[in-house]
Amino acid sequence: MIILGIDTSCDDTSAGIVLDGRRVISNVVHSQVELHHPYGGVVPELASREHLKNIMPVVSEALLKADIGMRDLDGIAVTVGPGLVGALLVGLYYAKALAYVHNLPMVAINHLEGHILSIFLEEEVPAFPFVALTVSGGHTSLYHVKGYGQYSLMGQTLDDAAGEAFDKVARILGIGYPGGPVIENLALEGRGNKINFPRAYMSHDSLDFSFSGLKTAVALYIKKWRGGQTETDGVKISDIAASFQESVVDVLVQKLIDAGRKTGVLAVMAAGGVACNKRLRARLEEAASSQDIRVYCPRPDYCTDNGAMIAAAGYNRLLTGEKADLSVDVRSKYPTQELSPID
Ligand code: KG4
Ligand code: ZN
């Protein structure tokens, strides 16, 4: 089954073509980083306009690269949420038009299910059940994944997402956008144990996250550091970046491994933009190996937003005969208790 997956949930216009939910034939992403860079974050109105400009060329390029035409497709999968409403609408209505004109079944996909199933685009995949951490600019959530379409939310952020914290700290430091990659690079030269920023573990057995306190603590530190009011002792900007990153990584690693232990699974995975972070990947490997748990992370291109992961999620839904009505709408958010279309 050949599926076209489309995602326009945030600032990437993406389309991927995937065979049987596993083999990526093409994956095209048009990034809007340059457009939003001067603002230090995504400007929703600009994102929608840019998606409108790029959705047709991106889908055409995905077909061209796959060397197939619309008639070779067996279905279309499209993200309907969570995300920016104006941005989601572009992908959804383009998918609807394609499905109608070419008489193809269409399925509506939760962006987070795409991130979880992105691991199936890799050669080595975890066996069910496993625990998944989806960690990006919009989300930080832990799911117990029992099978395709069977996800139980175990914990989530009560305020900022981890990627959002990276982006905000980078903005305060004035070092660029998106914050994750620039902080990771800067941290390579810094000392992660130089400043003891807070780690919000919440209560002892909580699997929820909170990053807003850390963001505030870093902001206050930077203010004093710039004003020369703190023990400067040779503290460099790279030390701040490394110490902040260490604090985020500590919490993410501990909670993911705890969730793995609690459920007794043999495998955990991390996906979403923040899962590109090499320090996070290394620390996860280290922590999991002492617990006999295996760690799986998709390659960076499948961690950041992409259409291939949406096609992978769509394959499993189309197989079960699921089909979205053409009246389906986008959803900016999903209620906490509702774990789906994730469920
Ligand atoms: O999954 P994604 O592409 O889009 C959302 O669904 O949000 O994630 C983007 C987020 C941004 O906040 C970005 O700063 C963060 O992922 N990110 C990283 C890294 N690369 C991207 N965070 C930490 N380290 C990285 N290397
Ligand atoms: Zn995402």
Side-chain angles (χ1 to χ4, degrees), residues 146-216:
K146 294 164 204 150
Y148 293 116
Q150 296 177 274
Y151 317 101
S152 308
L153 185 69
M154 299 184 73
Q156 65 183 342
T157 183
L158 304 176
D159 40 59
D160 293 351
E164 201 177 344
F166 271 94
D167 295 337
K168 286 181 178 167
V169 166
R171 196 176 337 171
I172 299 167
L173 287 170
I175 53 176
Y177 168 84
V182 275
I183 288 187
E184 177 175 1
N185 274 337
L186 199 55
L188 290 175
E189 300 147 27
R191 295 161 288 181
N193 58 0
K194 188 68 191 165
I195 310 146
N196 190 21
F197 288 130
R199 276 111 173 114
Y201 289 108
M202 329 294 282
S203 68
H204 175 60
D205 60 350
S206 168
L207 291 174
D208 285 332
F209 301 88
S210 166
F211 292 105
S212 76
L214 168 63
K215 176 194 67 190
T216 309

Side-chain angles (χ1 to χ4, degrees), residues 80-119:
V80 291
L84 303 170
V85 166
L88 289 161
L89 280 170
V90 177
L92 176 61
Y93 277 79
Y94 190 63
K96 281 185 187 184
L98 285 179
Y100 181 72
V101 170
H102 298 279
N103 196 25
L104 286 166
M106 183 185 89
V107 272
I109 302 297
N110 181 322
H111 183 76
L112 293 178
E113 183 179 34
H115 275 307
I116 293 170
L117 298 185
S118 64
I119 196 62

Side-chain angles (χ1 to χ4, degrees), residues 162 165-166 169 183 187 191-201 209-218 239-255 274 277 279-280 283:
F166 271 94
V169 166
I183 288 187
R191 295 161 288 181
N193 58 0
K194 188 68 191 165
I195 310 146
N196 190 21
F197 288 130
R199 276 111 173 114
Y201 289 108
F209 301 88
S210 166
F211 292 105
S212 76
L214 168 63
K215 176 194 67 190
T216 309
V218 178
D239 296 328
I240 300 176
S243 300
F244 159 74
Q245 176 175 267
E246 217 54 28
S247 173
V248 176
V249 167
D250 272 353
V251 177
L252 293 177
V253 169
Q254 173 144 349
K255 301 234 171 195
V274 180
N277 189 283
R279 180 74 182 147
L280 172 63
R283 290 277 314 279

Side-chain angles (χ1 to χ4, degrees), residues 11-13 30-42 50 176-179 181:
D11 60 342
D12 289 314
T13 315
H30 179 273
S31 164
Q32 300 182 5
V33 161
E34 291 305 315
L35 177 72
H36 301 289
H37 190 272
Y39 307 96
V42 178
E50 193 68 5
Y177 168 84

Side-chain angles (χ1 to χ4, degrees), residues 7 9-10 82 111-112 115 135-139 272-273 303-306 309:
D7 186 281
S9 58
C10 190
H111 183 76
L112 293 178
H115 275 307
V135 65
S136 68
H139 322 275
C303 275
T304 47
D305 290 350
N306 66 88
M309 70 183 193

Side-chain angles (χ1 to χ4, degrees), residues 2-6 14-18 24-29 54-77 94-95 98-99 102 104 307-308 311:
I2 302 180
I3 311 293
L4 164 67
I6 295 176
S14 48
I17 293 170
V18 176
V24 180
I25 312 178
S26 67
N27 191 37
V28 177
V29 179
N54 293 303
I55 187 72
M56 281 176 70
V58 163
V59 171
S60 299
E61 194 184 332
L63 289 165
L64 197 72
K65 283 199 166 146
D67 198 19
I68 61 168
M70 283 301 297
R71 68 192 139 349
D72 299 310
L73 293 177
D74 296 297
I76 300 177
Y94 190 63
L98 285 179
H102 298 279
L104 286 166

